Amino acid sequence: MIKAISNLGSYAIETIEQIGRTFNLLLIIAWKMCLPPYQIFPIIKQIYFIGARSLTVIIISGATIGMVLGLQFYNTLERFGSVGVLGSAVALSIIRELGPVMTALMVVGRAGSAICAELGIMRITEQVDALECMAIPPDKYLVAPKLIAGIVSVPLLNFVFNVVAIGGGYFVGVIMLGVGEGSYVNGMIDSVVWGDVRLGMVKSIIFGMLITLICCAKGFYLHLSQYGSQGAEGVSRATTDAVVISSVSVLFFDFLIGALMS
Amino acid sequence: METANAIEIRDLDVDYGSRRILSDINIDIRQGEIMVIMGGSGSGKSTLLRCILGLKKPSAGHIYMLGTDICHTSNKKLYGLREQIGVAFQGGALFTSMTVAENIQLPLREHTNLDENTIQIMTRIKLDMVNMLPYENLMPSELSGGMKKRAALARAIIMDPKLLFFDEPSAGLDPITSAELDELIVMLKESMKMTIVVVTHELESVFAIADRIAILGEGQLVQVGTPEEIKSSTDERVTGLLNRTPRKNNVDKDVHIERLTRDKE
């Protein structure tokens, strides 16, 4: 019994420490990013890795989710004789909720896990220590470009996801199921307001920062975690944690931002 | 402030959690000498190196590097000092996403405004010094263990540091490659007038390169002296290490049985 309480206490302390370290890392990077030298080329490289190389998965998932939404909304709306609002329903669901959330989850799965594993391996193979010893701040050199790239790439990917998903809904609703093109497009234009676009944009910027920060912190501080001494298995467990925590955080913050901005 | 000593370690205590790793360590490392820090596994020599490099904060004591107490200085000053040192890690710690040449050029690109041509020439000079010139475009994963160590050494000396640290240069290498690295270390000291600190437990290497030797045992400094002084030492821990005498497990029989049978905490 005492052992169980003790374990729970250790877990709680470690969790609080991790949250503190992650927040601290964000503050350090925010400060160091203001100081020269500016890491322009590494940021472009990371935007290519997180953004451009995620395009395929974003396009495929966007098209699939748009088509599924088109189909499901059509079946539901048909029962109420309201298939004319299909365009509005698809666009609003995607722009306000599904676009930012699905884009973030896709980036977590494709790039977040890779970022965490890369930094974790660099930590256990003393590459991070080597940077320290070369007087190159590893947080600025390794983490900052990834964080900026995440903040830039996720909103752009979200935009692509939204366009493709609305196109997928159009394909199923208008081309396959015969909903009028005018009602789909005009309904969408009439119902989507600037507030919806702004909400989606704010969400995707925050998600971009959140997922890259969590994944970077998990890998970068691997040596301070309970898996720090477990070598390759430690990297694998930290990566799993990073993906799970990032995904859950995205869902939680989705609700929080939605509640605060609606 | 510069002194005759490149590094002075005073009353150093280091703990990991509640476990004391190093206790009351006092060592002076003179300018221009090769100091070998030697000891068995678990003696705390790697921890001592991490403290000297500022990668681990000690629990108590001072480490003066080139006159600055690195345990009680600002991050900015510590980074300034680190521009004057070079470190070759045990596994090389080469950046796996860069070629050998890119690895070596990194400190120059980050800390100097040299033009591309000069950077290329300097890279080749250092690669040539460690006999790695033909491999400049290879990735670290394509190198053998000895080549990785030599590439790491080239990266460590690219900024012509005043102090060079080498962690286990001979570990995992065949005797010939190991001897080549030893020669290289001595050559670096003579040609570049560097102070070199080597952490190792390879006896042959130690006596081939050391000007002085510091022996650690179970977290304490056992002896510091020239190779001759160490060889003629009568301290059991020193002779045990030099003669490769297996450690005796003088544990009471009852205590031993209790250790084997008690519940795991």
Side-chain angles (χ1 to χ4, degrees):
Chain A
M1 181 66 184
I2 290 173
K3 197 179 168 190
I5 295 170
S6 164
N7 286 345
L8 192 67
S10 310
Y11 182 74
I13 290 169
E14 164 129 5
T15 306
I16 293 166
E17 277 179 356
Q18 278 184 18
I19 294 169
R21 276 199 294 267
T22 307
F23 189 65
N24 193 35
L25 182 66
L26 178 66
L27 294 181
I28 291 170
I29 289 170
W31 165 243
K32 287 188 178 173
M33 270 179 343
C34 303
L35 308 171
Y38 303 106
Q39 308 271 348
I40 305 298
F41 180 70
I43 291 171
I44 294 169
K45 194 177 158 192
Q46 289 302 323
I47 289 175
Y48 171 75
F49 174 70
I50 298 173
R53 291 187 63 184
S54 300
L55 260 179
T56 314
V57 72
I58 290 294
I59 289 171
I60 293 171
S61 56
T64 314
I65 285 168
M67 288 194 291
V68 169
L69 272 187
L71 192 64
Q72 293 304 323
F73 273 134
Y74 180 84
N75 288 336
T76 310
L77 291 171
E78 197 185 24
R79 292 179 202 174
F80 303 102
S82 316
V83 287
V85 296
L86 182 68
S88 312
V90 170
L92 283 173
S93 319
I94 286 169
I95 292 170
R96 289 177 64 94
E97 289 297 328
L98 282 172
V101 171
M102 289 307 296
T103 305
L105 293 180
M106 290 296 152
V107 173
V108 168
R110 207 207 69 82
S113 51
I115 287 170
C116 179
E118 179 191 340
L119 291 177
I121 289 169
M122 289 187 82
R123 176 63 77 180
I124 62 170
T125 54
E126 295 182 312
Q127 292 177 50
V128 178
D129 290 340
L131 278 173
E132 282 272 7
C133 292
M134 284 189 270
I136 301 170
D139 39 20
K140 184 176 179 182
Y141 185 79
L142 296 174
V143 182
K146 291 178 171 59
L147 192 64
I148 297 171
I151 294 170
V152 172
S153 303
V154 174
L156 293 174
L157 289 171
N158 178 37
F159 175 77
V160 173
F161 184 96
N162 289 352
V163 170
V164 175
I166 289 169
Y170 177 90
F171 176 75
V172 170
V174 178
I175 297 173
M176 284 176 62
L177 300 171
V179 176
E181 184 182 350
S183 67
Y184 186 92
V185 176
N186 290 334
M188 191 172 71
I189 292 170
D190 290 343
S191 58
V192 176
V193 294
W194 166 239
D196 301 319
V197 179
R198 189 183 57 196
L199 177 68
M201 213 155 65
V202 169
K203 278 183 180 178
S204 60
I205 290 171
I206 292 175
F207 292 166
M209 184 190 74
L210 200 64
I211 57 182
T212 36
L213 181 65
I214 292 171
C215 293
C216 284
K218 272 283 173 187
F220 192 69
Y221 292 126
L222 178 68
H223 61 306
L224 299 176
S225 76
Q226 55 179 322
Y227 316 134
S229 54
Q230 295 176 9
E233 193 184 335
V235 175
S236 123
R237 292 177 73 171
T239 307
T240 308
D241 276 6
V243 170
V244 172
I245 295 169
S246 303
S247 306
V248 172
S249 302
V250 164
L251 297 175
F252 175 72
F253 274 81
D254 181 46
F255 166 73
L256 200 66
I257 299 164
L260 289 174
M261 287 187 68
S262 292
Chain B
M1 183 186 75
E2 293 214 5
T3 63
N5 294 324
I7 298 171
E8 293 174 6
I9 301 169
R10 295 282 174 269
D11 309 321
L12 193 78
D13 294 334
V14 184
D15 299 297
Y16 276 113
S18 58
R19 209 155 47 97
R20 177 139 291 189
I21 305 298
L22 291 171
S23 175
D24 197 26
I25 303 292
N26 286 281
I27 305 175
D28 289 338
I29 299 172
R30 296 171 193 152
Q31 302 263 12
E33 75 171 352
I34 298 181
M35 166 65 91
V36 175
I37 299 171
M38 191 184 165
S41 301
S43 59
K45 54 189 189 305
S46 292
T47 303
L48 178 59
L49 181 65
R50 289 183 68 79
C51 289
I52 297 173
L53 296 173
L55 297 172
K56 165 93 185 138
K57 283 266 176 209
S59 313
H62 304 269
I63 299 171
Y64 298 94
M65 185 189 284
L66 303 171
T68 305
D69 183 358
I70 61 162
C71 306
H72 304 92
T73 192
S74 64
N75 248 358
K76 197 177 171 187
K77 278 190 181 166
L78 186 58
Y79 272 69
L81 267 177
R82 282 174 175 161
E83 286 183 34
Q84 302 175 56
I85 69 170
V87 185
F89 284 88
Q90 186 175 352
L94 298 171
F95 302 113
T96 44
S97 56
M98 298 178 185
T99 64
V100 169
E102 286 167 348
N103 262 286
I104 290 159
Q105 290 160 2
L106 185 63
L108 288 177
R109 293 194 190 282
E110 290 294 317
H111 298 304
T112 70
N113 294 317
L114 296 172
D115 62 89
E116 186 59 31
N117 213 15
T118 314
I119 289 177
Q120 295 295 342
I121 292 168
M122 285 185 71
T123 308
R124 286 186 189 143
I125 290 172
K126 303 299 179 190
L127 279 170
D128 194 33
M129 281 177 84
V130 299
N131 295 324
M132 284 289 290
L133 195 50
Y135 312 109
E136 62 175 329
N137 293 320
L138 293 187
M139 300 301 284
S141 59
E142 297 171 296
L143 304 179
S144 69
M147 288 157 93
K148 277 182 191 160
K149 282 181 195 277
R150 280 187 283 156
L153 184 56
R155 187 176 67 183
I157 59 173
I158 189 73
M159 297 278 284
D160 293 331
K162 291 180 182 169
L163 276 164
L164 175 67
F165 297 88
F166 214 141
D167 190 10
E168 303 278 8
S170 313
L173 298 183
D174 64 87
I176 295 169
T177 313
S178 175
E180 283 171 359
L181 264 176
D182 292 344
E183 262 182 34
L184 197 58
I185 291 168
V186 175
M187 186 270 285
L188 281 175
K189 184 199 108 173
E190 284 165 2
S191 61
M192 297 172 79
K193 310 290 176 209
M194 283 177 194
T195 306
I196 301 178
V197 179
V198 178
V199 171
T200 185
H201 55 237
E202 301 282 337
L203 287 173
E204 274 187 40
S205 283
V206 172
F207 290 109
I209 62 176
D211 290 320
R212 289 194 309 140
I213 300 167
I215 294 188
L216 294 178
E218 293 175 356
Q220 291 185 320
L221 184 64
V222 177
Q223 191 174 352
V224 182
T226 60
E228 291 69 33
E229 286 168 344
I230 296 294
K231 276 180 188 169
S232 58
S233 172
T234 52
D235 189 305
E236 258 186 33
R237 290 167 296 179
V238 178
T239 52
L241 194 66
L242 299 187
N243 300 327
R244 299 173 163 207
T245 314
R247 280 173 284 203
K248 289 193 180 92
N249 196 4
N250 294 325
V251 181
D252 180 78
K253 188 178 68 181
D254 295 333
V255 173
H256 187 60
I257 289 170
E258 196 272 331
R259 266 189 206 169
L260 295 175
T261 55
R262 76 179 161 204
D263 289 337
K264 197 176 174 188
E265 281 170 21

